Amino acid sequence: MTRLVLASNNAKKLKELQALFEPAGYQLVAQGALGIAEADEPHITFIENALAKARHAARACNGAAIADDSGLCVDALGGEPGVQSAHYAPVERTEADRERHRAQQDAANNRLLLDRLQGADRRSARFVSTLVAVRRADDPEPLVAVGRWPGEIVEALRGDGGFGYDPLMFIPALGRTVAELDADTKNSHSHRALAAAEMLRLMQAHWR
């Protein structure tokens, strides 16, 4: 099993990506488990932020790292929340526990999205995942894979699974919101699944 540092401390993202990479022989280790702080994400595109995070983690661990920068892009909002998806709504941190705070943030983000879409006729959107992998911090040839998962924003939360905007993202081809999907179905259709499949193809072609 080849170890790959994941430039994230999001436990749910780690679980999703681990399920996608483990069958190919990769063990993902969250950077927080190695004492690596999170990188700044000052950029306006997914690819720039993912590259910054991957390089930061690779430099700190002196080895290979992979980063995912992902979010929701809503057409009626000009692509918002985009790279600001995780922190779309302003939320003061009152919970010391990371996952409880993330749940508070998710709830606030969903409320803000619904508020901004009130009266909108067009509710098309897509989840976007951009994965960047580097062999080392100064790798001149980072691998880049992008997955897009189109759907529509519903008018009320549906489902208890997933995280983030999953309860609002309806997938017409599956007839359910992402939060209503079981883990296996999500992992075989999602934006991260599409990006991971492409990333594994690139890694097998260029890293081995």
Side-chain angles (χ1 to χ4, degrees), residues 43-101:
H43 305 292
I44 62 172
T45 64
F46 295 119
I47 187 170
E48 290 173 296
N49 282 331
L51 180 57
K53 290 190 286 187
R55 283 178 171 162
H56 169 81
R59 185 177 298 109
C61 75
N62 195 31
I66 188 168
D68 164 64
D69 202 56
S70 55
L72 178 70
C73 295
V74 180
D75 291 319
L77 301 178
E80 288 186 9
V83 297
Q84 298 299 323
S85 292
H87 305 285
Y88 193 37
V91 174
E92 181 180 353
R93 183 154 191 166
T94 58
E95 289 284 352
D97 181 85
R98 183 182 188 85
E99 292 307 310
R100 286 186 179 179
H101 173 69

Side-chain angles (χ1 to χ4, degrees), residues 158-181:
R158 287 173 45 179
D160 300 318
F163 61 97
Y165 300 94
D166 287 359
L168 292 179
M169 184 63 157
F170 179 77
I171 308 300
L174 300 175
R176 286 172 284 175
T177 67
V178 177
E180 293 174 313
L181 301 176

Side-chain angles (χ1 to χ4, degrees), residues 4 22 41-42 73 75 77 81 92 94 96-97 105 107 110 112 134 138 149 157 164 168 174 176 181 204:
L4 194 57
E22 190 171 34
E41 301 176 46
C73 295
D75 291 319
L77 301 178
E92 181 180 353
T94 58
D97 181 85
Q105 181 73 64
N110 285 326
L112 179 59
V134 293
D138 62 351
W149 198 15
L157 302 174
L168 292 179
L174 300 175
R176 286 172 284 175
L181 301 176
Q204 290 162 0

Side-chain angles (χ1 to χ4, degrees), residues 3-25:
R3 192 184 81 162
L4 194 57
V5 174
L6 175 64
S8 174
N9 293 321
N10 185 325
K12 292 182 178 179
K13 183 180 289 190
L14 172 65
K15 184 177 180 179
E16 277 190 17
L17 287 170
Q18 183 61 59
L20 296 166
F21 278 83
E22 190 171 34

Side-chain angles (χ1 to χ4, degrees), residues 106-174:
D106 286 351
N109 290 342
N110 285 326
R111 287 193 298 270
L112 179 59
L113 179 61
L114 289 176
D115 286 345
R116 292 190 173 173
L117 281 177
Q118 281 189 359
D121 294 327
R122 188 183 184 194
R123 304 182 75 88
S124 57
R126 67 208 146 273
F127 277 136
V128 179
S129 170
T130 299
L131 291 175
V132 172
V134 293
R135 292 164 291 189
R136 58 186 189 277
D138 62 351
D139 190 343
E141 190 182 10
L143 302 180
V144 180
V146 180
R148 293 180 174 85
W149 198 15
E152 301 170 358
I153 305 300
V154 293
E155 295 183 354
L157 302 174
R158 287 173 45 179
D160 300 318
F163 61 97
Y165 300 94
D166 287 359
L168 292 179
M169 184 63 157
F170 179 77
I171 308 300
L174 300 175

